[in-house]
Amino acid sequence: TSTEYVTAIIGSVFFFNYTRIAINEGGRSIVRHKGLVLNAVFPRALLPISDVYKGLISTMPALAVYAVAHVVVGAPVTAALFMLPLLMLIQTVINLGLALLFSTATAYFQDVSNLLNYVLRVLTFATPVIYPVSTLTPGLKSILSWNPLFALFSGFQAIITGQVPGAALIFQSAAWALLIFVAGVWVFLRHERSFALYV
């Protein structure tokens, strides 16, 4: 229905804003705080982590506004909503991994900082944010499913439209979260000692 269509898109945009902050702010956290990076005793990982935390805190009021709008327009309110905290936990793990990866990349190659906006644009179109998953053809869906955020936002849209996300979506989202987080931690810790030479 048109109500489900509108709420799926509006809700997805609110959730995507959290990831946008993690990539945009967390990805630039090292180059933005050169003074702290040059301090040998400061735990540098706190910089991207704190930006992800700020993104989470700023997202909560927005989600509260969306929750009111969800009820006002008559969108379905079902038990599926109890799965939102799980998906947001998975999203937080993905966001931390992305912030660690991009902050390392921008520390070494500062041109990456200028590319982050383009990365976000690509992700916006490759992730079901501005369109419902239900409008995709099976072929296009199978291609886009290689996007680490695709399964997660398919799950968000399912919940928003009153459905319980399938176990396969949850598993795929969690697997991507674990992979990205482990990669982010490994890359960041391996290179953080040399950040001072580049920033």
Side-chain angles (χ1 to χ4, degrees), residues 31-95:
V31 294
R32 277 202 337 265
H33 298 93
K34 296 180 182 180
L36 291 173
V37 172
L38 295 173
N39 185 331
V41 298
F42 182 80
R44 299 171 184 88
L46 284 180
L47 295 173
I49 290 172
S50 65
D51 279 321
V52 173
Y53 175 73
K54 283 188 286 187
L56 177 61
I57 295 301
S58 65
T59 299
M60 289 306 175
L63 290 180
V65 172
Y66 170 74
V68 173
H70 185 93
V71 173
V72 169
V73 300
V77 178
T78 68
L81 291 171
F82 288 109
M83 294 195 70
L84 270 181
L86 173 61
L87 290 192
M88 287 208 70
L89 175 62
I90 293 173
Q91 185 181 17
T92 297
V93 175
I94 290 176
N95 287 353

Side-chain angles (χ1 to χ4, degrees), residues 163-179:
Q163 306 164 54
V164 177
L169 280 182
I170 301 297
F171 177 80
Q172 192 177 344
S173 302
W176 275 117
L178 182 62
L179 179 64

Side-chain angles (χ1 to χ4, degrees), residues 21-188:
I21 293 172
I23 293 176
N24 221 10
E25 303 298 323
R28 295 184 172 96
S29 58
I30 298 299
V31 294
R32 277 202 337 265
H33 298 93
K34 296 180 182 180
L36 291 173
V37 172
L38 295 173
N39 185 331
V41 298
F42 182 80
R44 299 171 184 88
L46 284 180
L47 295 173
I49 290 172
S50 65
D51 279 321
V52 173
Y53 175 73
K54 283 188 286 187
L56 177 61
I57 295 301
S58 65
T59 299
M60 289 306 175
L63 290 180
V65 172
Y66 170 74
V68 173
H70 185 93
V71 173
V72 169
V73 300
V77 178
T78 68
L81 291 171
F82 288 109
M83 294 195 70
L84 270 181
L86 173 61
L87 290 192
M88 287 208 70
L89 175 62
I90 293 173
Q91 185 181 17
T92 297
V93 175
I94 290 176
N95 287 353
L96 286 168
L98 290 174
L100 290 167
L101 284 170
F102 282 116
S103 62
T104 303
T106 54
Y108 274 83
F109 310 101
Q110 295 197 20
D111 286 343
V112 173
S113 180
N114 300 322
L115 290 174
L116 291 182
N117 289 330
Y118 294 101
V119 170
L120 284 166
R121 285 180 193 173
V122 171
L123 281 176
T124 301
F125 288 101
T127 306
V129 174
I130 55 175
Y131 53 84
V133 180
S134 58
T135 62
L136 299 174
T137 63
L140 190 55
K141 193 181 293 186
S142 64
I143 294 171
L144 292 177
S145 65
W146 287 98
N147 168 12
L149 297 175
F150 187 85
L152 175 67
F153 278 81
S154 296
F156 277 135
Q157 284 197 5
I159 291 173
I160 290 168
T161 55
Q163 306 164 54
V164 177
L169 280 182
I170 301 297
F171 177 80
Q172 192 177 344
S173 302
W176 275 117
L178 182 62
L179 179 64
I180 293 170
F181 180 73
V182 169
V185 171
W186 183 78
V187 168
F188 190 94

